[in-house]
Amino acid sequence: MNGREDSWSLAAAESIWQRDQARINKVPLLVLLRIRNEELILEDTLDHLAGFADLICAYDDASTDATRAILKAHEKVVMIVQNDEWQSSVDSRLLSETRHRGLLLQEARKRFDFAWCMCCDADERYVGPIREFVTAPPAAEVNAVRIRLFDAYMTESDDRAFEKGMQLLNFRRYFGPERRDILMLWKNREEVKFVGLDAREPIVADGVETDFYCQHYGKSLSYAHWEATCDYYVKHFPWDPYGQKWQARKGKALHEQSDFGTALHVWGSGLFDAAVKIY
């Protein structure tokens, strides 16, 4: 598990699967995807990402379902870092958030030549001309892009559980106005790295703009998924701020307001106009 933040090493329980093919010529966009037990939504996720990405590299964190087989069956998935030993302690989870992404980026750079990189989660759906952006003549001043993320919510009239084979994009009608601008897309430069603990974002020194949108479904797939999410953060992350917040949310999957006590909005201009940036 150890390694410098600019040179991660494989652990004993980790191995690399790579699709049998020659080194691919430079492509516009490679996606990094860190996942565990996502068979319910994974096929739709991969198809969604394939709509704008050339290559997908995944870190499979000791899945016990069909996640790994689904990854290998998709033609855009060219590399998987396969972890066979899930680390459950609080310290391990915080380090893993950073290390898995850092290791994945490092190993992708060794094998593939790509102009842009995007770090995605399986329960996110992206809205906007991302493909057009990464294939346009490069803008010298733009080195990275923060994407505006909004949480989808289950409501009384919209609480059907997501089922395999459904499409997750626009699956829910209502979203909270709380907006998180997350650095997900960046030019593939060696100085861009994942550093510290619990890092979803890499470090980019300058040239960062905000564009595109993201529908986040981590709170709204089903009642059962909501409770499992609450338990995950309570058991495996620090009590403050994670555990305490998610313990209070147990049994409250159905929403009339957002988790922050604000009115919900239909996806679109009304939501974007009402947006409140929380980070």
Side-chain angles (χ1 to χ4, degrees), residues 153-165:
Y153 288 95
M154 294 171 56
T155 59
E156 187 172 358
S157 60
D158 184 23
D159 65 344
R160 180 184 179 185
F162 185 88
E163 297 177 7
K164 201 170 184 178

Side-chain angles (χ1 to χ4, degrees), residues 113 117 224:
D113 190 4
C117 190

Side-chain angles (χ1 to χ4, degrees), residues 181-200:
D181 294 350
I182 301 178
L183 198 157
M184 301 184 191
L185 179 64
W186 65 89
K187 283 180 181 173
N188 181 28
R189 302 187 302 171
E190 287 298 323
E191 62 267 27
V192 178
K193 302 182 185 301
F194 288 91
V195 177
L197 296 176
D198 196 21
R200 162 71 191 266

Side-chain angles (χ1 to χ4, degrees), residues 39-45 47 125 159-169 171-172 221:
E39 69 172 332
L40 176 64
I41 61 174
L42 185 54
E43 290 182 11
D44 182 65
T45 296
D47 288 344
R125 295 295 179 267
D159 65 344
R160 180 184 179 185
F162 185 88
E163 297 177 7
K164 201 170 184 178
M166 291 180 170
Q167 185 177 74
L168 192 53
L169 180 66
F171 177 63
R172 294 297 180 204
L221 291 177

Side-chain angles (χ1 to χ4, degrees), residues 59-74:
Y59 187 103
D60 177 39
D61 195 8
S63 290
T64 57
D65 63 4
T67 288
R68 199 169 293 180
I70 294 170
L71 287 171
K72 292 178 179 179
H74 200 282

